[in-house]
Amino acid sequence: RLAVEEIDSEEESAVLAQRVVVNLVESAARRLLAKMLRREDERAGEVVVLIDSLANARGTEHWDVAEDAASQLVAWIADDEEAA
């Protein structure tokens, strides 16, 4: 969509940016969750809650809520990368 369509307004541009971030973070968070489950990490449940929150907010197009969950998931992802 980005390559072929003009964005009509600044608001639409902001929502599009939120959607891209949310989708990228959700994918990375699901990979993190899979790693945590393989390691039998007890904290995986906390990540599941955040992924579910992000997915529900995305599904109902509450992008601010989804972006908040994504921000929290980024911290989990970064912590896991630092520990590796």
Side-chain angles (χ1 to χ4, degrees):
R1 178 174 176 202
L2 292 174
V4 295
E5 291 182 22
E6 289 287 328
I7 297 174
D8 295 332
S9 69
E10 191 171 307
E11 183 177 327
E12 186 177 332
S13 176
V15 170
L16 183 58
Q18 285 177 315
R19 290 175 59 184
V20 169
V21 167
V22 165
N23 288 329
L24 289 172
V25 171
E26 183 178 8
S27 178
R30 290 189 185 280
R31 287 191 303 273
L32 169 64
L33 178 59
K35 284 178 18 181
M36 292 176 83
L37 292 172
R38 281 193 302 273
R39 294 189 307 236
E40 298 181 6
D41 191 323
E42 295 175 1
R43 301 169 303 155
E46 296 175 55
V47 173
V48 168
V49 170
L50 288 171
I51 291 172
D52 287 347
S53 174
L54 182 147
N56 289 333
R58 179 182 37 77
T60 57
E61 297 188 359
H62 290 105
W63 297 110
D64 291 335
V65 175
E67 189 174 36
D68 182 56
S71 294
Q72 294 176 56
L73 285 164
V74 165
W76 278 93
I77 294 164
D79 286 347
D80 188 66
E81 290 298 319
E82 288 176 5

